[in-house]
Amino acid sequence: DQQVKQNSPSLSVQEGRISILNCDYTNSMFDYFLWYKKYPAEGPTFLISISSIKDKNEDGRFTVFLNKSAKHLSLHIVPSQPGDSAVYFCAASATGGGADGLTFGKGTHLIIQP
Amino acid sequence: DSGVTQTPKHLITATGQRVTLRCSPRSGDLSVYWYQQSLDQGLQFLIQYYNGEERAKGNILERFSAQQFPDLHSELNLSSLELGDSALYFCASTYGTTNTGELFFGEGSRLTVL
């Protein structure tokens, strides 16, 4: 049972436009969410996070939005750049439930077209 | 470079065999996590160690075991290997035990079982 779902395996966006990556979760205990970025032959690297007490967190070109009622979060990248081409993983955790690791989605492969 | 070192990078073996994957966490990190990424799957949490003690268990098979040594490096042992165990195995580390900190991932060990 996938508790964190990224329903788009891939997404193609033109350079300079906005990239929007979506993530849905089912576990109501999740209260902390993260996005990781992964290049080929490398491990995932942390990108941005958001706590459930917030609905938005921004870091430069990256903004994460959280809609708790819909159990949905999204990552916006504006403007998209060629170096943003990578696989993006959404992850979630239940901080009150102990250190049980992050639950990851299957990832979305973002391709930025020149 | 995340500071997390995993060896070997690639490993090819036969069904029924046993392998050991090794992970050296970032300097100062006490927690080590192991994740499995199979084809078209997200990162599946296997197990976490904190300062030498098992902290949390995820979807780890009974044929798999892990440990964290006094110098904080960790090993993941996979035995009676099956074709379906072919995957990328990631180690990640962080200083504490909560799930609100970013994890630092190694580059992974790619296991191929023939």
Side-chain angles (χ1 to χ4, degrees), chain A residues 2 32 34 36 38 41-46 49 89 93-95 98-107, chain B residues 33 35 37 40-45 48 55-56 88 90 97-108:
Chain A
Q2 278 272 309
Y32 198 77
L34 308 91
Y36 280 78
K38 184 183 181 305
E42 294 184 12
T45 56
F46 170 77
S49 63
F89 290 99
S93 70
T95 58
D100 57 355
L102 298 176
T103 301
F104 284 84
K106 292 186 180 183
Chain B
Y33 300 75
Y35 284 85
Q37 185 183 19
D40 295 331
Q41 296 293 316
L43 294 152
Q44 301 288 322
F45 169 66
Q48 180 207 0
R55 177 79 178 180
L88 200 49
F90 286 104
T97 61
T98 71
N99 285 322
T100 57
E102 76 179 85
L103 297 183
F104 295 87
F105 283 84
E107 294 181 351

Side-chain angles (χ1 to χ4, degrees), chain A residues 33-113:
Chain A
F33 305 90
L34 308 91
W35 285 93
Y36 280 78
K37 177 179 179 179
K38 184 183 181 305
Y39 292 118
E42 294 184 12
T45 56
F46 170 77
L47 191 56
I48 192 169
S49 63
I50 187 167
S51 164
S52 61
I53 63 173
K54 293 184 173 183
D55 55 19
K56 176 183 173 181
N57 189 25
E58 195 171 351
D59 183 3
R61 296 186 297 113
F62 303 91
T63 303
V64 56
F65 295 92
L66 175 63
N67 182 334
K68 289 188 291 293
S69 61
K71 293 191 176 67
H72 176 84
L73 62 154
S74 60
L75 174 69
H76 292 212
I77 306 173
V78 182
S80 300
Q81 297 175 355
D84 296 330
S85 294
V87 176
Y88 290 78
F89 290 99
C90 172
S93 70
T95 58
D100 57 355
L102 298 176
T103 301
F104 284 84
K106 292 186 180 183
T108 295
H109 186 193
L110 176 64
I111 302 162
I112 304 302
Q113 305 277 8

Side-chain angles (χ1 to χ4, degrees), chain B residues 12-67:
Chain B
I12 301 174
T13 188
T15 55
Q17 295 298 305
R18 172 190 170 96
V19 298
T20 297
L21 308 180
R22 182 189 168 102
C23 170
S24 294
R26 277 191 330 157
S27 177
D29 282 355
L30 301 176
S31 272
V32 169
Y33 300 75
W34 285 97
Y35 284 85
Q36 178 194 54
Q37 185 183 19
S38 303
L39 193 63
D40 295 331
Q41 296 293 316
L43 294 152
Q44 301 288 322
F45 169 66
L46 296 178
I47 198 164
Q48 180 207 0
Y49 280 83
Y50 175 75
N51 204 21
E53 299 290 327
E54 182 183 303
R55 177 79 178 180
K57 248 181 180 176
N59 299 320
I60 188 166
L61 299 172
E62 286 191 10
R63 300 183 286 108
F64 296 0
S65 65
Q67 54 184 325

